[in-house]
């Protein structure tokens, strides 16, 4: 066991990582690569495509080429080591693999990432074994690409390293839209699958059912949720988290705000209509603006795990919070 295995797994689903693309996953789905738990195996457990494996497994190639999967790190940072685990893949493991990294701003799709640099050189693999690879690259990494040559199965990919925060996202304040801070959902266009209160619940969603999801629209409209903030505040950052929503995430979203103290009908852009990626925690720094309410519009429909509105309570906002406290604590 190497020392860097004590560092956090930057790719783990537990910290918000996601497998955003794979060219093939016929036998076993790509998302298994970053599951926090150790892989398991049950003999003679067959689905309609064969033995069920707790990992990522591609079909047998009948032509030249390689198979690849792209992982968006839940915590971008400097990678110190990679573990490629072929647990339970014995006659169907890939003979070779390599791993590359990328550092990109924003939330691109996998095919928009064009510049990759090596983390692990082409290396031989064995079946049913953990392979530990030291990484010397010192650049911050936001995405990794695992290539297996030519095909086969990998149970887990661990990317151990030191998180490096984007200082642009390190804004002060509290979550003004948090249910636990006193925010309230005041309106919702549709809650066919799950309640909008889930959007502002504490913690990260662990499954799709812990978010808010609407029915499929068959018209030209869009779905929305409005939230009265816990207190009047200066909004500085908006988080739109589509974690676990993969084929049903909204294509775009916008956030508007209003300040009831001045004009309850005067709505303004907090975050203009912006493209979203599936299964991704999006964080956007916005121009500082005072608001007492926000409205999230998703286009055209779909699901979202969490909405966060980070900001600093105004003097009026602090007074309101103190008043509620005094009135309810005697």
């Amino acid at each position: 066991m190497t020392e860097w295995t004590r560092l956090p797994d930057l790719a783990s689903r537990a910290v918000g990582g996601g497998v955003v693309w794979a060219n093939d996953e016929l036998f076993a789905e790509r998302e298994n690569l970053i599951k926090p738990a150790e892989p398991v195996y049950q003999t003679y457990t067959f689905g309609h495509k064969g033995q069920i494996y707790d990992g990522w497994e591609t079909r047998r190639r009948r032509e030249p080429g390689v198979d690849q999967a792209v992982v968006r790190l839940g915590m971008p940072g400097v990678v110190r080591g990679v573990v490629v685990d072929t647990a339970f893949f014995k006659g169907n493991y890939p003979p070779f693999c390599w791993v590359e990294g990328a550092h990109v701003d924003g939330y691109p799709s996998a095919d928009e990432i064009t510049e990759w640099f090596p983390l692990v050189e082409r290396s031989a693999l064995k079946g049913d074994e953990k392979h530990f690879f030291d990484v010397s690259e010192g650049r911050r990494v936001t995405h990794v690409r695992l290539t297996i040559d030519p095909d086969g199965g990998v149970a887990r990919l661990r990317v151990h390293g030191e998180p490096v925060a984007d200082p642009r996202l390190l804004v002060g304040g509290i979550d003004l839209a948090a249910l636990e801070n006193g925010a309230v959902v005041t309106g919702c266009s549709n809650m066919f699958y799950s309640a909008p209160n889930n959007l502002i619940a504490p913690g990260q969603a662990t499954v799709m059912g812990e978010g808010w999801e609407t029915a499929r629209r068959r018209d030209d409209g869009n779905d929305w949720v409005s939230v009265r903030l816990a207190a009047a505040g200066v909004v500085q950052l908006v988080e739109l988290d589509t974690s676990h929503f993969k084929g049903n995430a909204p294509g775009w979203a916008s956030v508007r705000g209003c300040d009831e103290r001045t004009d309850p009908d005067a709505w303004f852009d907090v975050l203009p209509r912006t493209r979203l990626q599936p299964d991704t925690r999006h964080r956007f720094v916005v121009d500082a603006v005072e608001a007492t309410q926000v409205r999230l519009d998703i286009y055209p429909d779909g699901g979202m795990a969490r909405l966060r509105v980070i900001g600093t309570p105004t003097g009026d906002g602090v007074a309101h919070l103190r008043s509620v406290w005094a009135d309810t604590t005697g």
Side-chain angles (χ1 to χ4, degrees), residues 67-124:
D67 290 327
Q68 295 180 313
V70 174
V71 176
R72 174 185 42 75
L73 300 184
M75 295 190 295
V78 176
V79 179
R80 299 304 184 189
V82 170
V83 181
V84 177
D85 186 356
T86 58
F88 307 111
F89 290 99
K90 299 177 180 179
N92 51 351
Y93 66 92
F96 302 94
C97 81
W98 60 91
V99 181
E100 299 160 287
H103 174 263
V104 292
D105 277 333
Y107 305 95
S109 59
D111 59 2
E112 292 174 321
I113 304 173
T114 57
E115 295 184 10
W116 295 91
F117 46 84
L119 298 178
V120 176
E121 299 291 344
R122 187 173 189 269
S123 303

Side-chain angles (χ1 to χ4, degrees), residues 169-178 181 229 233-239 270 281 283-289 294 307-313:
L169 301 178
L170 299 180
V171 301
I174 64 169
D175 184 1
L176 298 169
N181 289 340
L229 300 179
V234 179
V235 179
Q236 298 169 276
L237 184 145
V238 170
E239 179 177 313
V270 175
R281 183 183 176 202
R283 306 180 75 201
F284 303 101
V285 175
V286 298
D287 292 336
V289 61
V294 295
L307 165 68
R308 306 296 189 202
V309 180
I310 309 302
T312 305

Side-chain angles (χ1 to χ4, degrees), residues 266-289:
W267 289 84
F268 47 83
D269 282 340
V270 175
L271 178 70
R273 181 166 167 157
T274 301
R275 184 185 69 161
L276 300 182
Q277 295 292 347
D279 194 29
T280 298
R281 183 183 176 202
H282 309 76
R283 306 180 75 201
F284 303 101
V285 175
V286 298
D287 292 336
V289 61

Side-chain angles (χ1 to χ4, degrees), residues 3-24:
E3 189 66 24
W4 49 256
T5 59
R6 300 178 184 274
L7 296 173
D9 180 2
L10 306 178
S12 174
R13 166 61 77 181
V15 298
V19 186
V20 298
W21 174 84
N23 69 299
D24 187 279

Side-chain angles (χ1 to χ4, degrees), residues 225-227 229 255-257 267 270 291-296 307 309:
V225 169
S226 57
V227 177
L229 300 179
V255 177
R256 290 184 291 163
W267 289 84
V270 175
T292 60
Q293 290 192 71
V294 295
R295 170 170 156 151
L296 166 67
L307 165 68
V309 180

Side-chain angles (χ1 to χ4, degrees), residues 5-265:
T5 59
R6 300 178 184 274
L7 296 173
D9 180 2
L10 306 178
S12 174
R13 166 61 77 181
V15 298
V19 186
V20 298
W21 174 84
N23 69 299
D24 187 279
E25 51 182 334
L26 187 137
F27 286 117
E29 61 186 13
R30 65 190 193 229
E31 285 85 4
N32 290 332
L33 277 173
I34 59 170
K35 288 167 63 175
E38 288 294 292
V40 296
Y41 181 80
Q42 293 181 336
T43 59
Y44 210 77
T45 305
F46 287 88
H48 65 281
K49 293 182 180 179
Q51 170 68 37
I52 296 174
Y53 277 91
D54 185 10
W56 169 54
E57 186 184 5
T58 67
R59 74 190 73 201
R60 299 186 189 215
R61 282 191 162 271
R62 303 308 186 200
E63 69 288 324
V66 296
D67 290 327
Q68 295 180 313
V70 174
V71 176
R72 174 185 42 75
L73 300 184
M75 295 190 295
V78 176
V79 179
R80 299 304 184 189
V82 170
V83 181
V84 177
D85 186 356
T86 58
F88 307 111
F89 290 99
K90 299 177 180 179
N92 51 351
Y93 66 92
F96 302 94
C97 81
W98 60 91
V99 181
E100 299 160 287
H103 174 263
V104 292
D105 277 333
Y107 305 95
S109 59
D111 59 2
E112 292 174 321
I113 304 173
T114 57
E115 295 184 10
W116 295 91
F117 46 84
L119 298 178
V120 176
E121 299 291 344
R122 187 173 189 269
S123 303
L125 298 178
K126 297 179 181 179
D128 195 27
E129 186 170 310
K130 288 184 179 180
H131 305 79
F132 298 86
F133 300 106
D134 295 335
V135 175
S136 58
E137 173 61 56
R139 279 178 281 183
R140 183 178 188 262
V141 175
T142 60
H143 296 71
V144 296
R145 181 168 66 182
L146 169 65
T147 301
I148 57 174
D149 184 2
D151 55 42
V154 174
R156 296 290 188 271
L157 175 69
R158 309 295 193 199
V159 182
H160 294 276
E162 299 155 353
V164 177
D166 183 342
R168 294 169 295 183
L169 301 178
L170 299 180
V171 301
I174 64 169
D175 184 1
L176 298 169
L179 192 64
E180 62 183 336
N181 289 340
V184 177
V185 171
T186 56
C188 177
S189 62
N190 185 282
M191 48 182 170
F192 183 87
Y193 288 107
S194 45
N197 272 336
N198 290 350
L199 271 178
I200 58 175
Q204 292 184 342
T206 58
V207 294
M208 190 168 62
E210 294 179 3
W212 166 60
E213 184 180 4
T214 71
R216 300 190 187 207
R217 296 192 74 96
R218 305 304 186 190
D219 56 25
D220 295 330
N222 72 279
D223 288 318
W224 55 269
V225 169
S226 57
V227 177
R228 186 179 71 239
L229 300 179
V234 179
V235 179
Q236 298 169 276
L237 184 145
V238 170
E239 179 177 313
L240 304 178
D241 186 356
T242 60
S243 290
H244 309 293
F245 291 94
K246 297 166 185 174
N248 53 352
W252 302 266
S254 66
V255 177
R256 290 184 291 163
C258 81
D259 190 339
E260 298 169 291
R261 299 168 302 174
T262 55
D263 187 347
D265 298 318

